[in-house]
Structures are given as structure tokens and as C-alpha cells.
């Protein structure tokens, strides 16, 4: 009399069409047979390790290898149930699978629990989370959070905020993330208090500047590599004087470096830009850049941007 593994081998090789009648009548016995056959398939026939199985496992995978009847009838066509029953020692988490059962991400607690498990398993730090969802490997969880919230707003996504920041606040509240720590967050999420705290934190805690030093040293390129760059561009139009007037609630008319602080009003003509670019080819030193800024009455950052080769296609 053939064993169940011998019968399964015969089915996989095509010598037999199906399992014998009455194989799948009892739920308990059917699940045990499924476990034995599935373990044989994975470890002996396919020789998959844990990670390879996780990367390929879905409902179609199990249907393909002739175990559809017990899988559908007793495991609800749920790949997670299949792998946890067959390989309990692997301790596979639901979120590790290539596809998860329908409805898994319809519950915020599932998203939170899966995110925290992933965070702990991969030894992520607060800094890793700030660096971005892709860098931290959290994209699928953020996408689930985004879809869940879109469903709650009837799918109105015309003015979506940056869900990553919102997601982190919900899932990792103990990290006390501050909005200005992120390179780009929708301006709709910034309150006036956030804006003031963000810029003053940057000036006072990171740069260690006093108010007088801020007024003396600030320039439009100061925020380029910080989480404040996007806000400075969108809300203040890269106008330092407008920013300082907002932060300190006082006019900045008498400042000695006002020319640098105010957004330049003069627009360069196409021919001016061509000349500046020709100078780049001849001598692109810092001294040349400063002299061009004086000659054309613009800030040095304007000359630097014109010298950026990636923009040269705009004006031939």
C-alpha cells in the first residue's frame, strides 16, 4: 500500500491524476496530510529554505502543486495558515509574505503590529525611520496605512498629506518625531508653532547661533540639506527676511545684509545666462562666482544654480 508521500510524488510526476477518494473528508486528517505533503514539496522536491519560500508563497503557488483541495476547504486559501501549519519552527510573520490575505490591512492594529515587528526584527533606529520609508523598508506598511485612510475619506486623494509622517506618529509615538526632522512633509501639516519651533531649533540647538548671529549669518542656501528646505521654499519663497520677520515678529528693514536676505527681484536675460555659463567653462572658481554675482546684482546662489549643468537644456 502506497504512503501519502508516494501518492503525492506520483501526482506531481503526472503518473496519477489525483489523490484517492475520501482523502480529504476529515478536517483534522486533511490538515495533517497537507502538512506532510507541503513539507515534502518545499524541503525535498523544491529544496527551498525559509526565505525563498516566503518570497514565492501565494495561493497560486499551492494550487500549482496539486494541494488546492485541502488548501481551499480547510485553510481558507490562506498562505499564511499553510506555512505556519507546515513550518511552525520557522515562526513566519504575516507581513513577511509576498501577498497577505484579503482584509489584513483593513485594521490599523494589524498595520501597527506588523510595523513594530518589522522594526524590531531589523533593529531599526529612530534615525533609520527619519531617513525615509524606502530606506527603512517600511513602504508596504505605509502604503497600507495610506489606503486605509483614503478609504475613510471616500478615496479623496487630491490633496493627500505626507502619510509617512502621519504613519510614524501613529505607529511609533514614543519616538516623538518632530515635523521639521523630515526632508519633505506637506505644508498643510505644519502649524505656525511647528514652523517657529523648527527653525529656532535649527538655529539655536544645531547651529548654536544667537539671534544676532542668525540675523548676521543667515543666507538662502542655509537650509538646503535640512528638513526645512521644502518649507522655506514653499512658504517663504526662499526669502530670509520674510522668515526672520515671521520668527521674531519684527521688521527687518535696517539689516545690513538685507540685499542678501530679500528674494532677488531682478531677472537675468537669456544673454546674461549665456555669458555666465561661458564663464563657467573658462573659470568656475569661487572668486569668479562672486564677481559675477556683483556684476549682475544677484546672489551667489543664483550663479551657482546657473552653473549647474543639469539646467543648461533650458536655454541653449
Amino acid at each position: 500500500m502506497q504512503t501519502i508521500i508516494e501518492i503525492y510524488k506520483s501526482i506531481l510526476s503526472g503518473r496519477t491524476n489525483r489523490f484517492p477518494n475520501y482523502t480529504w473528508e476529515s478536517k483534522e486528517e486533511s490538515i495533517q496530510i497537507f502538512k506532510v505533503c507541503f513539507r515534502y514539496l518545499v524541503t525535498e522536491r523544491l529544496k527551498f529554505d525559509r526565505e525563498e519560500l516566503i518570497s514565492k508563497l501565494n495561493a497560486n503557488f499551492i494550487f500549482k502543486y496539486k494541494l488546492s483541495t485541502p488548501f481551499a476547504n480547510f485553510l481558507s486559501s490562506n498562505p499564511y495558515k499553510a506555512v505556519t501549519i507546515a513550518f511552525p519552527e520557522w515562526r513566519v510573520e504575516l507581513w513577511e509574505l509576498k501577498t497577505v490575505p484579503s482584509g489584513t490591512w483593513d485594521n490599523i492594529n494589524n498595520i501597527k503590529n506588523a510595523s513594530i515587528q518589522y522594526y524590531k526584527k531589523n533593529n531599526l533606529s529612530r534615525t533609520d525611520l527619519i531617513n525615509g520609508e524606502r530606506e527603512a523598508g517600511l513602504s508596504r506598511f505605509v502604503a497600507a496605512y495610506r489606503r486605509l485612510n483614503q478609504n475613510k475619506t471616500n478615496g479623496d486623494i487630491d490633496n493627500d498629506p505626507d502619510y509617512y509622517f502621519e504613519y510614524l506618529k501613529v505607529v511609533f509615538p514614543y519616538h516623538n518625531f518632530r515635523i521639521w526632522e523630515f526632508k519633505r512633509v506637506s505644508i498643510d501639516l505644519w502649524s505656525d508653532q511647528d514652523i517657529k519651533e523648527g527653525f529656532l531649533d535649527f538655529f539655536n540647538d544645531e547651529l548654536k547661533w544667537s539671534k544676532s548671529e542668525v540675523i548676521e549669518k543667515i543666507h538662502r542656501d542655509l537650509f538646503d540639506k535640512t528638513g526645512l528646505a521644502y518649507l522655506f521654499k514653499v512658504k517663504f519663497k526662499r526669502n530670509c527676511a520674510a522668515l526672520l520677520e515671521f520668527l521674531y515678529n519684527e521688521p527687518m528693514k535696517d539689516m545690513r545684509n538685507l540685499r542678501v536676505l530679500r528674494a532677488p527681484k531682478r531677472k537675468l536675460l537669456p544673454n546674461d545666462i549665456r555669458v555666465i555659463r561661458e564663464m563657467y567653462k573658462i573659470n568656475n572658481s569661487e572668486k569668479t562666482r562672486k564677481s559675477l554675482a556683483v556684476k549682475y546684482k544677484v546672489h551667489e546662489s543664483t550663479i551657482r544654480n546657473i552653473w549647474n549643468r543639469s539646467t543648461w537644456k533650458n536655454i541653449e
Side-chain angles (χ1 to χ4, degrees):
M1 184 176 179
Q2 286 184 307
T3 65
I4 195 66
I5 290 297
E6 290 171 338
I7 294 172
Y8 186 44
K9 288 180 180 179
S10 180
I11 292 172
L12 292 176
S13 65
R15 295 193 303 271
T16 304
N17 291 330
R18 60 184 178 82
F19 286 94
N21 292 336
Y22 312 113
T23 300
W24 309 116
E25 284 198 337
S26 164
K27 178 177 180 180
E28 185 176 342
E29 290 182 7
S30 295
I31 291 176
Q32 183 59 32
I33 293 172
F34 173 86
K35 176 180 178 179
V36 170
C37 292
F38 193 55
R39 285 185 70 94
Y40 160 77
L41 170 70
V42 173
T43 59
E44 295 187 41
R45 188 177 182 89
L46 299 178
K47 300 186 183 305
F48 284 176
D49 59 15
R50 181 185 187 277
E51 302 309 317
E52 190 167 8
L53 176 61
I54 288 173
S55 69
K56 296 179 179 179
L57 182 61
N58 56 30
N60 289 334
F61 176 89
I62 296 176
F63 291 147
K64 176 182 177 181
Y65 289 104
K66 314 299 183 182
L67 292 172
S68 58
T69 299
F71 181 58
N73 292 349
F74 304 112
L75 298 178
S76 305
S77 298
N78 186 327
Y80 180 63
K81 287 184 179 180
V83 72
T84 52
I85 285 173
F87 297 96
E89 71 276 16
W90 282 357
R91 298 181 182 278
V92 175
E93 300 293 349
L94 179 62
W95 52 266
E96 294 183 271
L97 299 185
K98 181 179 180 181
T99 57
V100 297
S102 176
T104 297
W105 302 131
D106 293 345
N107 185 307
I108 185 61
N109 288 328
N110 288 346
I111 297 174
K112 291 172 68 174
N113 292 337
S115 300
I116 292 170
Q117 289 170 2
Y118 177 88
Y119 170 84
K120 291 179 178 179
K121 180 174 181 178
N122 291 276
N123 296 316
L124 298 180
S125 66
R126 187 178 187 277
T127 301
D128 291 327
L129 298 180
I130 291 174
N131 286 339
E133 62 182 84
R134 290 185 179 179
E135 290 77 4
L138 294 168
S139 295
R140 69 180 307 197
F141 307 121
V142 178
Y145 179 81
R146 182 183 295 113
R147 286 192 297 270
L148 181 64
N149 282 272
Q150 287 171 2
N151 291 339
K152 290 181 179 179
T153 57
N154 298 318
D156 181 10
I157 58 174
D158 290 340
N159 296 300
D160 270 353
D162 184 334
Y163 276 110
Y164 184 55
F165 177 65
E166 288 292 292
Y167 158 85
L168 290 179
K169 288 201 302 180
V170 171
V171 177
F172 304 100
Y174 48 86
H175 277 314
N176 191 28
F177 291 108
R178 312 305 293 269
I179 195 168
W180 58 83
E181 295 180 282
F182 298 84
K183 290 184 179 180
R184 179 166 180 165
V185 178
S186 172
I187 196 168
D188 295 333
L189 296 180
W190 287 80
S191 66
D192 284 353
Q193 187 62 30
D194 286 331
I195 296 171
K196 288 184 178 181
E197 287 183 5
F199 281 101
L200 292 177
D201 177 80
F202 176 69
F203 291 142
N204 302 333
D205 295 344
E206 292 195 36
L207 298 181
K208 310 296 183 185
W209 286 357
S210 64
K211 177 181 175 181
S212 60
E213 287 178 307
V214 171
I215 295 173
E216 181 68 28
K217 297 179 180 181
I218 192 173
H219 57 84
R220 282 191 294 277
D221 300 331
L222 184 63
F223 311 105
D224 284 357
K225 296 183 179 180
T226 74
L228 299 168
Y230 177 67
L231 180 67
F232 182 53
K233 176 182 178 181
V234 174
K235 183 172 179 63
F236 298 102
K237 311 302 181 187
R238 288 176 58 83
N239 184 326
C240 295
L243 168 62
L244 295 183
E245 288 168 355
F246 174 83
L247 295 180
Y248 300 120
N249 196 28
E250 60 184 76
M252 296 291 164
K253 295 180 180 178
D254 300 326
M255 294 175 61
R256 287 177 297 172
N257 58 343
L258 186 62
R259 180 185 63 79
V260 175
L261 297 177
R262 294 291 184 189
K265 296 181 179 180
R266 184 176 186 274
K267 291 186 177 181
L268 295 171
L269 298 174
N271 190 58
D272 296 333
I273 295 176
R274 292 190 186 95
V275 172
I276 292 171
R277 286 176 174 168
E278 287 301 319
M279 287 302 300
Y280 172 86
K281 297 175 183 177
I282 298 171
N283 183 353
N284 59 0
S285 66
E286 182 179 356
K287 182 177 180 180
T288 302
R289 188 174 68 240
K290 289 182 177 180
S291 66
L292 288 172
V294 172
K295 177 180 178 180
Y296 291 100
K297 299 180 181 180
V298 296
H299 190 257
E300 285 182 48
S301 63
T302 302
I303 304 299
R304 186 183 298 111
N305 290 336
I306 293 173
W307 278 5
N308 181 359
R309 285 180 174 270
S310 64
T311 67
W312 287 24
K313 61 183 179 181
N314 297 331
I315 298 179
E316 300 298 335

